[in-house]
Amino acid sequence: MELHNFEQFNLQPEIIKTLEFLKYNKPTNIQQLVLPQALAGKDLWVRSQTGSGKTAAFGIPICERIDWLPNHPQALVLVPTRELALQVAEELGNIGKLKRLKALPIFGKVSMERQELELKQKTHMIVGTPGRVRDLITKGTLPVDAISHLIIDEADEMFHIGLKEQVEDIIKLIPKNRITMLFSATLNDDIRSLTKTYMIDPIEITIQEETIPIENITQLSYPVEEQDKLELLRKVTIYYKPSSCIIFANTQEKVEMITKYLTRMHYPCFCLHGAMRQKDRIHVMNEFRLGAFGYLIATDVAARGIDINDVSLVINFDISRGNENYVHRIGRCGRLGSSGLAITFFTTKEQSVMERIMDYTGITIPVNDPNNLIVTKTDMDTHEMNLNKPIILKEKKGKELNQTITKLHIYAGKKDKIRTNEIVATICGIDGVTAEDIGIIQILKDATQVEILNHKGNLVLDGIKEKTIKGKVRKVRKCTR
Ligand code: AMP
């Protein structure tokens, strides 16, 4: 049975309302197939591509099934990269917002103490990379006794980068009485054995061909020798005039080199690769997603699972290592039904790699002659104009949802022995406000942050000034996001 809207899944009103805010009007293919099973509590093993609405396919059932009340996390999502952890946590946080569910991203190379402090607060969903998650569980600071949902996302990629052992260790540490969902773009023996060992009669779901994103993408290739690639890159971008473009190269050094070259040519560009500081990587990703600059030069760090929409051109400056990576890279454009263009450079030596990719995708990729790429004066003028265009930032996802929510900062925290129930009681004591209007509460050392829902931020801000918390009137202000 085809399900055309979310109402048909009998979801809680808060979830339906959130999906409306997020403008998820119709379930995507994967959501149509996964939701009924996941909502019924079945173990699932899903073969799907990224960009198909996969996160919401497990995020909606998790948010529907878990309760606000328990203090310990009820869902654990394992992902291969830190970027993905942030992105998935944001999506889960959005979906669960009106149910007041909190999603916390957990990953390595940043302060463990901070994450441990956050874990002391009520947290419903953890989205993390396996290494740090395992460390925190074994240290006892990430309680797993209430975990009833385990999601292993991008399982093939996690195993590919050597995280299989960590994933298995984690599975052994969490309660057996749970739902497990495994998502993977490809199948291999490791994944098969994992599903057999740790899942109960998993239902296999394969997302049909039509949802493979590359079908909306026009693919082209250019034969070029290494030393001529930069010049060709410039010509291609001037000729095709992308509104936004990702350029993939195989090494960090090359990514840096291309970035330097394009910067010299005044392109609005930044790079993304594994050797960059975590903070910088996140910043670059967010800015690119919002449209702050048009050209992202990246290694395969950016190829997988990263939710960047509206990329009009993907350029493989270096041909990808591995067929699957090719699909993941070019899948950055043409997401969710929009069209895109993918151009691959290949050297004489790489002809056979090109053929292997065509065999794998079953699509013939036309070979264009770089000499026929004639850049006219009009092309040049448009290019110059594009480089100097003022930046118009895109709307952040969930913006409308967040507009109904005000975050208040109360100048009293752990030091003042503030507790969640006191905050709730004080706020509910304001005329016209109920517990339903209170979102996530975070008690920090010196302060407490409370989300107020349903446009009642100002009402609470005014009302709370006349109330006492732990015997004192406290200073309160609005947080700026
Ligand atoms: P994902 O495959 O999870 O990376 O999702 C790809 C993109 O689709 C993300 O930007 C989601 O926010 C968006 N998305 C997910 N589900 C839907 C839906 N039902 N309708 C519209 N957009 C969606």
Side-chain angles (χ1 to χ4, degrees):
M1 179 180 57
E2 275 253 315
L3 293 164
H4 292 295
N5 61 50
F6 284 106
E7 267 90 24
Q8 297 176 56
F9 296 110
N10 285 329
L11 299 167
Q12 289 153 347
E14 294 96 331
I15 305 274
I16 291 284
K17 204 163 151 196
T18 314
L19 297 176
E20 276 166 23
F21 272 123
L22 292 172
K23 300 200 174 65
Y24 292 2
N25 303 324
K26 180 183 177 298
T28 63
N29 268 4
I30 187 170
Q31 291 160 2
Q32 292 185 26
L33 292 168
V34 167
L35 254 68
Q37 307 291 353
L39 288 166
K42 302 268 172 46
D43 276 6
L44 296 181
W45 164 25
V46 187
R47 279 184 72 185
S48 76
Q49 306 289 328
T50 152
S52 50
K54 177 169 54 118
T55 317
F58 61 77
I60 295 169
I62 295 180
C63 291
E64 170 77 20
R65 289 172 55 92
I66 64 182
D67 286 335
W68 177 82
L69 201 62
N71 283 330
H72 288 177
Q74 298 160 66
L76 174 62
V77 183
L78 298 176
V79 294
T81 64
R82 291 165 269 170
E83 283 80 9
L84 206 51
L86 283 162
Q87 186 182 304
V88 171
E90 188 180 345
E91 175 106 351
L92 295 188
N94 275 339
I95 296 170
K97 195 136 249 169
L98 298 184
K99 259 187 88 175
R100 299 183 286 146
L101 302 176
K102 187 178 156 200
L104 182 69
I106 293 276
F107 42 78
K109 295 207 182 130
V110 293
S111 148
M112 203 182 228
E113 288 77 48
R114 213 196 139 125
Q115 291 172 350
E116 287 176 326
L117 213 65
E118 296 225 44
L119 280 165
K120 285 192 181 148
Q121 309 276 330
K122 193 194 268 292
T123 303
H124 302 89
M125 303 173 273
I126 304 285
V127 186
T129 51
R132 178 57 63 92
V133 167
R134 184 180 65 177
D135 290 350
L136 291 174
I137 296 176
T138 36
K139 234 181 126 187
T141 44
L142 195 175
V144 290
D145 55 301
I147 297 282
S148 49
H149 297 78
L150 171 69
I151 315 298
I152 306 168
D153 193 14
E154 309 250 335
D156 49 349
E157 179 61 8
M158 279 203 280
F159 293 179
H160 179 69
I161 57 177
L163 300 175
K164 181 165 183 267
E165 203 188 308
Q166 278 105 314
V167 171
E168 286 199 76
D169 287 348
I170 293 167
I171 299 178
K172 286 176 197 151
L173 289 164
I174 63 172
K176 283 209 170 66
N177 190 8
R178 58 158 200 267
I179 298 171
T180 309
M181 292 187 240
L182 181 141
F183 291 79
S184 178
T186 55
L187 243 189
N188 59 41
D189 289 345
D190 278 345
I191 289 171
R192 233 183 280 265
S193 103
L194 192 97
T195 59
K196 282 215 179 84
T197 320
Y198 300 107
M199 294 169 78
I200 301 163
D201 300 331
I203 294 174
E204 266 183 66
I205 294 179
T206 301
I207 304 307
Q208 286 140 22
E209 288 295 297
E210 70 247 27
T211 61
I212 293 179
I214 67 167
E215 290 182 350
N216 299 322
I217 301 166
T218 309
Q219 300 177 60
L220 294 177
S221 66
Y222 284 95
V224 57
E225 290 318 314
E226 201 60 50
Q227 68 275 12
D228 301 325
K229 278 186 180 176
L230 281 177
E231 186 45 38
L232 180 62
L233 175 67
R234 198 165 110 85
K235 261 181 150 178
V236 161
T237 53
I238 296 172
Y239 187 82
Y240 289 103
K241 308 174 189 60
S243 52
S244 73
C245 172
I246 303 187
I247 299 158
F248 284 107
N250 287 348
T251 64
Q252 288 162 11
E253 293 73 27
K254 263 216 202 153
V255 162
E256 299 265 359
M257 183 270 291
I258 300 166
T259 311
K260 267 194 199 130
Y261 172 78
L262 292 183
T263 307
R264 245 194 353 260
M265 299 292 163
H266 309 292
Y267 282 64
C269 65
F270 283 92
C271 63
L272 185 70
H273 58 66
M276 285 163 59
R277 282 190 318 168
Q278 176 61 15
K279 233 175 81 197
D280 298 335
R281 280 163 66 170
I282 294 165
H283 183 69
V284 167
M285 282 281 313
N286 285 343
E287 295 286 289
F288 186 65
R289 207 181 280 138
L290 288 175
F293 60 93
Y295 290 81
L296 180 73
I297 305 105
T299 56
D300 282 308
V301 165
R304 277 268 186 167
I306 298 301
D307 169 24
I308 298 175
N309 292 312
D310 311 330
V311 173
S312 60
L313 174 64
V314 168
I315 299 175
N316 288 313
F317 186 90
D318 290 329
I319 200 161
S320 54
R321 297 172 182 148
N323 299 331
E324 285 146 24
N325 263 358
Y326 175 80
V327 173
H328 279 287
R329 282 181 178 190
I330 72 165
R332 298 298 99 207
C333 60
R335 280 162 83 79
L336 278 178
S338 66
S339 61
L341 174 65
I343 293 177
T344 301
F345 295 173
F346 67 99
T347 63
T348 325
K349 277 194 248 153
E350 289 165 340
Q351 206 126 17
S352 58
V353 185
M354 210 55 224
E355 275 154 24
R356 269 211 305 277
I357 288 174
M358 287 193 272
D359 273 354
Y360 178 78
T361 57
I363 298 171
T364 309
I365 304 172
V367 179
N368 284 12
D369 183 348
N371 295 320
N372 292 343
L373 202 64
I374 311 288
V375 169
T376 62
K377 167 139 189 348
T378 323
D379 288 332
M380 270 320 287
D381 290 345
T382 317
H383 175 68
E384 285 298 324
M385 224 168 62
N386 284 343
L387 293 188
N388 296 310
K389 227 173 29 192
I391 299 161
I392 300 165
L393 293 184
K394 290 176 206 153
E395 271 197 5
K396 218 172 162 196
K397 216 171 1 141
K399 189 179 164 208
E400 265 185 56
L401 184 61
N402 285 328
Q403 274 169 351
T404 67
I405 298 170
T406 309
K407 203 180 208 178
L408 298 183
H409 185 95
I410 305 170
Y411 286 85
K414 282 215 178 86
K415 257 179 35 192
D416 312 275
K417 304 211 165 28
I418 297 293
R419 293 176 161 274
T420 311
N421 53 7
E422 288 156 347
I423 300 281
V424 173
T426 305
I427 296 175
C428 287
I430 299 168
D431 270 353
V433 185
T434 67
E436 302 282 288
D437 302 319
I438 305 171
I440 291 162
I441 300 175
Q442 252 195 313
I443 304 179
L444 313 169
K445 206 164 105 207
D446 300 308
T448 300
Q449 296 194 330
V450 193
E451 287 186 352
I452 306 297
L453 314 180
N454 307 325
H455 297 286
K456 294 198 181 163
N458 286 334
L459 187 64
V460 174
L461 187 63
D462 287 340
I464 205 166
K465 285 177 185 151
E466 287 157 19
K467 305 267 173 202
T468 58
I469 307 171
K470 270 243 147 51
K472 274 193 201 166
V473 175
R474 310 282 176 171
K475 225 171 103 187
V476 184
R477 67 165 169 84
K478 269 189 205 176
C479 295
T480 42
R481 281 173 201 281

